[in-house]
């Protein structure tokens, strides 16, 4: 076993000091030609198709009052006790998250109803801005998740999505697409393994 000596420590520190003081200029980011990215004739229809393939379900609605009507037909919502609604003008919740300081108190949330900023047709994802989330864990800890987003706020691809985000408004934001899933065990797909069991998306005008 090599015995550590003062000389070896000094030599190592000298190497680390030289590395720390070395300024390396990395390559610039590639330029993406937007005319070469994917576009769809009907981005809303493509979003619905892709969302379905990843386990989510989309609902085209003309009025936000329809959200409650559709959800009430889902047994796990009709029987839910703890519902957090971040879109109270569309559907009321049964919990006041503004009065909750400790995110651990949200461990038993049945449903989270969140607001999406825009949707991406390419991968069925929805951008949720952190500024709309009192506790970011609400997107991941709830048994079931519903997101309300305008179908007029639909972009074709992620390049357009990131361009739309620009400089983030808050330290947190996330793309959500479908319920959580895994196929690690025997290559058998399991939905809801690490997060929400199901995702309902409501596409408003």
């Amino acid at each position: 076993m090599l015995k550590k000596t003062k000389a070896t420590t000094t030599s190592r520190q000298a190497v680390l000091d030289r590395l720390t003081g070395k300024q390396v200029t990395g390559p610039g980011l590639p330029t993406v030609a937007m005319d070469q990215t994917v576009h769809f004739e009907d981005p809303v229809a493509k979003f619905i198709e892709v969302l379905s393939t990843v386990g989510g379900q989309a609902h085209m609605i003309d009025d936000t009052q329809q959200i409650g009507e559709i959800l009430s037909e889902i047994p796990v919502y009709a029987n839910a006790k703890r519902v957090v609604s971040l879109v109270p003008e569309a559907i009321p919740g049964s919990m006041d998250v503004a009065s909750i300081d400790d995110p651990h108190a949200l461990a038993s949330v049945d449903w989270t109803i969140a607001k999406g900023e825009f949707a991406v047709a390419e991968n069925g994802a929805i951008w949720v801005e952190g500024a709309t989330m009192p506790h970011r864990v609400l997107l991941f800890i709830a048994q079931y998740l519903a997101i309300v987003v305008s179908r007029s706020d639909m972009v074709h691809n992620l390049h357009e999505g990131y361009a739309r985000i620009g400089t983030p408004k808050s330290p947190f934001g996330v793309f959500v697409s479908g319920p959580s899933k895994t196929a690690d065990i025997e290559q058998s797909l399991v939905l809801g393994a690490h997060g929400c069991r199901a995702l309902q998306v409501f596409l408003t005008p």
Side-chain angles (χ1 to χ4, degrees), residues 49-160:
E49 175 192 341
V50 175
L51 181 67
S52 176
T53 64
V54 297
Q57 185 175 8
H59 306 273
M60 293 272 284
I61 60 174
D62 297 319
D63 191 291
T64 55
Q65 298 303 315
Q66 294 176 264
I67 297 175
E69 297 172 3
I70 295 172
L71 286 177
S72 64
E73 297 177 357
I74 302 175
V76 289
Y77 180 84
N79 299 324
K81 303 297 183 183
R82 294 166 64 87
V83 177
V84 174
S85 177
L86 304 177
V87 195
E89 67 276 12
I91 186 167
S94 61
M95 295 179 62
D96 179 17
V97 291
S99 63
I100 297 176
D101 296 324
D102 184 3
H104 292 89
L106 302 169
S108 60
V109 169
D110 297 312
W111 280 80
T112 292
I113 317 295
K115 181 181 185 300
E117 299 300 311
F118 63 87
V120 184
E122 179 182 26
N123 62 354
I126 304 161
W127 174 254
V128 178
E129 180 61 48
T132 66
M133 305 295 301
H135 298 286
R136 65 183 65 178
V137 73
L138 283 168
L139 288 173
F140 315 106
I141 203 168
Q143 292 290 319
Y144 300 92
L145 178 63
I147 301 178
V148 182
V149 63
S150 173
R151 54 183 178 266
S152 62
D153 291 320
M154 182 77 64
V155 298
H156 290 268
N157 53 68
L158 277 174
H159 295 293
E160 292 180 358

Side-chain angles (χ1 to χ4, degrees), residues 137-145 178-182 190-199:
V137 73
L138 283 168
L139 288 173
F140 315 106
I141 203 168
Q143 292 290 319
Y144 300 92
L145 178 63
S180 68
K181 57 188 69 66
T182 182
V190 178
L191 300 181
H194 309 294
C196 70
R197 298 182 181 184
L199 170 65

